[in-house]
Amino acid sequence: MALKLRSTVVLSICLALGGVACAALAAPPGGGGGTPPPSTTISKNNGVILVNSNVFNVPMISAISVLGTPLLQYDNPGAGLQMTARSSAGNAYNPTQAGDCAGNPSTLLSSDSNWTGSGTGLPAANGVLLTVAPRNYNEPSSCLGAGTVLPFQFDFGMTQGDGLVLPKEGMYMDMTYTRLPGAEAIDKGQSEMPAAFPLADVLPLAYVSPDGVNFAPFAPTGTNDIRSWPLGVNYGAQGEVVAVCTPQLTMCMAIFSNKSEQILVSHRQGASHNLAYMTLLAGSGSITDFAPHHGKKLLAVGTLSTIAAVIATARFHIADWGEL
């Protein structure tokens, strides 16, 4: 069903894919050192996964907790869980769902907290859609201050499992880029769909899977403990799943794509948290037209075997994962 919208290890320095990928230290939302604006948080809780989005009016997934344990917490507009794009200009042209490197939020055009457009058969109460006019992250090599709102529409939908159609340990993420007149072409190989910054002190161990079934430690430096990796260095892999886990492997957070993608994982220092960074890139080639371009991913939590089971259920039910 079509998405319904409301309106090999590769080593690279952070600057090779900066912007949100660098999770630079940022001032509070709104820029400068002032007080953040009042929060208009949108919360969804299916009894297993609690997701808060739009914290401090920053239109991204700002926090994720599982059975009361925080796995991802609000840190700065360059972190959280969100989608980004880049043109051939790279970090100089980096429309970012949440906002810019100075802490200014992107424009939330609309939100739907009872969204049924994901085509999954899950109830409206489990869905949220954020429609955003993204800012340029504006960090080609260092933060240049406020980024311009760029001519794109980003649609970011999330739909939590209900325990019937999809286990409650799963959540679909539907992400759509739409270029508007005046927008530069999107370079899919530099665009994050999505980027996530979980807490490295809670989920320090990195894993990847080529097929959504078999998982292996991702240890590009000789260890898969992200906390021991150098800060700001992106390590690459190819696969369908990237995951970070507790030392005991009793809890993991994973992002799944129904096709093999370029994966990046890194160790970052946020404004107030020690962070992991993980992303699936949006493929290869460019987006040059003005049509919506959609990709569906799956966030899953639990042990690695639980995550594999959630992925298997999602694969059984979903025929159309989009093009990205």
Side-chain angles (χ1 to χ4, degrees), residues 233-255:
V233 179
N234 293 332
Y235 296 96
Q238 194 75 24
E240 292 185 353
V241 187
V242 58
V244 288
C245 301
T246 59
Q248 302 82 14
L249 300 184
T250 52
M251 177 58 63
C252 304
M253 186 175 88
I255 300 173

Side-chain angles (χ1 to χ4, degrees), residues 112-140:
D112 184 348
S113 57
N114 287 282
W115 183 58
T116 59
S118 67
T120 58
L122 290 163
N126 291 37
V128 173
L129 176 67
L130 305 177
T131 298
V132 176
R135 285 186 182 270
N136 187 15
Y137 195 70
N138 206 26
E139 192 174 74

